[in-house]
């Protein structure tokens, strides 16, 4: 049973070895189970019927997470850096609520504390963040961030202008009680969600609503275009990573492309 | 009338001959008709008014499908492999419900059995799966599968976090009775469906709802970008047909790409 | 006032001359006005208040359209071919309802006849169909037609399967009275329209609804990807039309691109 | 404290210097604050509770804007050109409502005047319009403007035709009281907003609704494709930055493009 600290490090923090992969998969399963337990617990009849079972399940998960958290700290050379990091805090938040639940017996504060356990979902994110797919996605979104910001600002402007116009046209009798509510309606309509809890009653209001709907329907093309263009561009230099420098350096004088890897020569 | 087993095989299993195509088209028509009959049967006044007509139609279709199924088994050299395959089971499920309907006279189980006949729709899928269009589509979706999975996981995370927040903010009085219901609401809102059966009542809830709406409105760009980028990349080899060989045919023995135009050499 | 038949032909049927363009613009304005009149007429208080005005407006428009229709027939060498063409029938349908309205004095049939006048909107389509933008759009859609068909068939399959499942799970008490209604609900949900007139009440139904929502939210990427990929591919050969053969044929032996127009040389 | 007119000009009208940037950021913050104040003021309990605070805030903002407006006029050589420009009018509209509010004491006209202050949101637009991201976006949208117009016209045609059909099929008893309302419903449905305030009741109406939903769900691909294709084409010159000059500098005098790499020569 004597596992060296170094081996434990590779198991817990790396995913390259078979043991490390097993550990990650087991962790994901435990996290998912614990999330499902928290969600089920919020349903009144389930909580009433399986009170003891859920209690046991919670403490099994909490014990596992606590052991894992302590191991992580024990294994690291500079544990404080991990504890203060984003995922260190998430890991702590994954176990803290259960212990805090012993202090705060009942009431709204307990409800919030118990809900905090759902932050465990971010633990899975941590495990997937190194996959190529997430990296590609994140890079594409990061690269088009400024454009998306400009787009969002335009959406906000349209939504404020239309919301205010509807507030003036429709007024309180049709549910547009104040400008924030009208802006809320405009967002509901422009994003094509459309609950229908607030809807225009006057012909002019319905006309304006039609305009904002068609606007919302049409300008969804803009973020889509931004991200798609970014992804296609990203995937072009990305190919040079797949076929990078082939280390072939005896190019003929008249060659415009490397005859080994097909990369265009400068 | 004596059709050889080989000819029957080409008619039933292949679509290259004129007869094979006729058979496929006839099969699609019968399947579509039978689906329409099942759908119509579920409407109370139609079932009451055309009881005998629908009964006859069902048994004509069932007989045709039974004969076809038996022919398929008779024609094949290794029928068992077909019977155990996905489409073999679908073909069996297309005829079984009618016979089972003779045993289970009424009640909910009959309703389920009768509904099973709708699985016949997959039979059409079988007939279209070899078309170029479906192949291109399937390849594009398969190639971006991992990215779509990461995207779906992000959506699930957002939906769990927002759902729980709304459960804590809005509470039972506004319809957010438990976390699963809140997550259901979050999915409804983020996918821009928005039934309006549950909608936030507090200003903070409406603000959070606005955030999730704009998020949902914006990140639809991500799967779209993924699939589009994949489709364009898939279609790039198509461009080599437009600008094919550069007519340079003095390739060095060690060349993998044409040094003039960069096209990959076979 | 004596305008030759030939000149009238170029004015009415062509848009290259200044007069032809004027005629087209005037026609579009009259059509739009006539459509607005028909729409306004359907509003009860407007019909009551402006009965005589609308009557006059209708007959002015009808007279203009009749004169134009007769001129078109008179001007053409083979008028019968025009009369039998799609746009010939549309042109006739633009004037017929007003005359038929004299025969059928009132009732539902009159309502339908009057609504037929709205088909005039297709007359505008005729005038815009030769624009480059519509041609590009139509070509892109036509080229991806087969793929869109496969996509639509997949959507129909999903909608039938999910509709039937919801019919079995939710049943009549939650509004899923029969399979067509359930399929209608599934379409409402998958296309993210979501009226909320029918919505699932059971937890299993809500789970299935969530699945179809996320499906619908995700697979919108597929037609978007198809059309976008098609448009980008279409626009690639399109560029060769913008910079076509520059008629420069003294290319150096070592040139890979035309030094005049930059087109890649074979 | 003596700041020269020239220095003031660079601070107010340019964003290249540190002071200019500070001024712009400060301006954005004041504008955003003033917008939040206007929005909050429309909420009855907030207006009642913080009447004096909001009054002071409004006059502080108004004074700042007035000073800034007068400085702009004083600093410019041709102030009249600025005053008559779009953003000059917006700047004036940002301060005018507060002064007009002194004349019109109460009633609906005051409500409209106060709402006019929200036009200040366009002032932010002015400050962001020179960012690369907005320029790229605007150019892409401008370039695909004609295609988007054709697309919108098609949407309008579909919406008129389907709206009228639903008016004839469903009639007043299901809420389709007149053609404009039916068209409003068709827009609601096609853009996938779907309030559910009007929804079809007859089977034929539900079938038509399904058709328009799937149409709306599918043809969203068209504007997306247009904008995306445009963005990718716009971004192609960007690739020349990645693979810039081919280092070939013996261009013939008559060359318009580099004969080695096809890049356009200046």
């Amino acid at each position: 049973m004597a596992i060296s600290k170094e081996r434990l490090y590779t198991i817990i923090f790396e995913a390259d070895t078979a043991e490390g992969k097993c550990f990650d998969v087991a962790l994901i399963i435990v996290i998912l189970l614990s999330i499902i337990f928290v969600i089920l617990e919020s349903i009144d009849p389930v909580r009433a019927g399986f009170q003891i079972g859920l209690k046991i399940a919670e403490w099994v998960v909490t014990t596992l997470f606590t052991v894992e958290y302590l191991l992580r700290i024990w294994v690291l050379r500079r544990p404080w850096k991990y504890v203060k990091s984003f995922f260190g805090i998430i890991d702590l938040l994954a176990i803290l609520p259960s212990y805090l639940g012993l202090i705060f017996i009942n009431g709204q504060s307990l409800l919030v504390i118990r809900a905090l356990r759902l932050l465990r979902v971010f633990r899975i994110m941590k495990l997937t963040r190194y996959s190529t797919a997430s990296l590609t996605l994140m890079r594409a979104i990061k690269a088009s961030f400024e454009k998306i910001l400009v787009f969002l600002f335009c959406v906000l402007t349209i939504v404020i202008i239309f919301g205010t116009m509807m507030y003036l046209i429709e007024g309180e009798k049709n549910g547009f009680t104040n400008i924030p509510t009208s802006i809320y309606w405009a967002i509901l309509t422009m994003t094509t969600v459309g609950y229908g809890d607030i809807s225009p009653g006057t012909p002019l209001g319905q006309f304006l609503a039609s305009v904002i709907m068609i606007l919302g329907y049409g300008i969804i093309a803009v973020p889509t275009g931004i991200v798609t263009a970014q992804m296609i561009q990203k995937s072009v230099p990305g190919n040079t990573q797949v076929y990078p420098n082939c280390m072939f350096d005896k190019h003929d004088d008249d060659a415009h492309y490397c005859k080994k890897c097909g990369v265009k020569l400068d």
Side-chain angles (χ1 to χ4, degrees), chain A:
Chain A
M1 280 297 287
I3 301 171
S4 73
K5 215 168 165 178
E6 282 71 32
R7 203 170 143 211
L8 213 61
Y9 178 86
T10 54
I11 291 170
I12 296 177
F13 281 94
E14 282 164 27
D16 300 332
T17 59
E19 282 168 325
K21 262 178 200 153
C22 273
F23 180 81
D24 279 6
V25 169
L27 197 57
I28 287 177
I29 291 165
V30 174
I31 293 167
L32 285 177
L33 279 176
S34 96
I35 288 167
I36 291 165
F37 290 149
V38 176
I39 290 174
L40 285 176
E41 212 186 295
S42 77
I43 310 168
D44 282 340
V46 173
R47 185 168 48 228
F50 302 90
Q51 203 166 7
I52 297 155
L54 284 168
K55 209 84 201 161
I56 293 167
E58 188 192 332
W59 281 106
V60 167
V61 168
T62 304
T63 311
L64 284 173
F65 281 176
T66 309
V67 169
E68 186 230 351
Y69 186 70
L70 295 176
L71 276 179
R72 272 178 199 268
I73 289 175
W74 179 63
V75 147
L76 283 168
R77 264 183 244 164
R78 279 176 296 175
W80 200 239
K81 206 182 153 192
Y82 159 71
V83 170
K84 286 194 298 181
S85 72
F86 175 71
F87 283 115
I89 291 162
I90 289 293
D91 290 355
L92 189 64
L93 282 174
I95 50 173
L96 224 58
S98 302
Y99 295 111
L100 284 174
L102 297 174
I103 306 163
F104 302 91
I105 308 296
N106 54 11
Q108 181 67 18
S109 59
L110 182 66
L111 209 67
V112 175
I113 286 163
R114 303 191 75 75
L116 268 176
R117 286 175 295 161
L118 278 177
L119 292 174
R120 289 168 187 168
V121 83
F122 285 114
R123 300 204 68 196
I124 302 180
M125 263 193 156
K126 181 192 178 184
L127 296 167
T128 56
R129 86 195 137 138
Y130 293 121
S131 79
T132 348
S134 5
L135 282 176
T136 318
L137 277 179
M138 267 158 61
R139 241 184 297 131
I141 292 165
K142 209 174 274 176
S144 43
F145 187 72
E146 202 200 343
K147 275 182 207 154
I148 287 171
L149 223 69
V150 170
F151 169 73
L152 276 183
F153 173 71
C154 286
V155 167
L156 272 178
T157 307
I158 295 171
V159 148
I160 288 173
I161 298 294
F162 272 83
T164 312
M165 280 162 81
M166 291 302 279
Y167 167 67
L168 295 174
I169 292 164
E170 293 281 323
E172 288 190 36
K173 67 183 182 297
N174 288 316
F176 295 77
T177 41
N178 48 48
I179 295 181
T181 305
S182 293
I183 290 174
Y184 169 67
W185 169 86
I187 294 172
L188 258 172
T189 303
M190 195 169 187
T191 57
T192 78
V193 175
Y195 286 148
D197 49 353
I198 312 163
S199 65
T202 63
L204 185 55
Q206 293 186 338
F207 175 74
L208 264 180
S210 300
V211 172
I212 199 173
M213 277 171 214
I214 290 174
L215 255 176
Y217 182 65
I219 66 172
I220 183 65
V222 176
T224 308
I226 295 167
V227 174
T228 307
Q230 207 59 46
M231 277 187 176
I232 290 164
Q233 273 173 302
K234 279 283 145 199
S235 67
V236 169
N239 283 342
T240 64
Q241 294 187 316
V242 182
Y243 310 104
N245 250 322
C246 63
M247 297 305 144
F248 181 75
D249 52 4
K250 289 163 198 153
H251 303 298
D252 297 316
D253 292 335
D254 59 343
H256 296 272
Y257 295 86
C258 169
K259 66 184 175 181
K260 283 287 181 193
C261 72
V263 160
K264 193 162 186 174
L265 302 172
D266 294 333

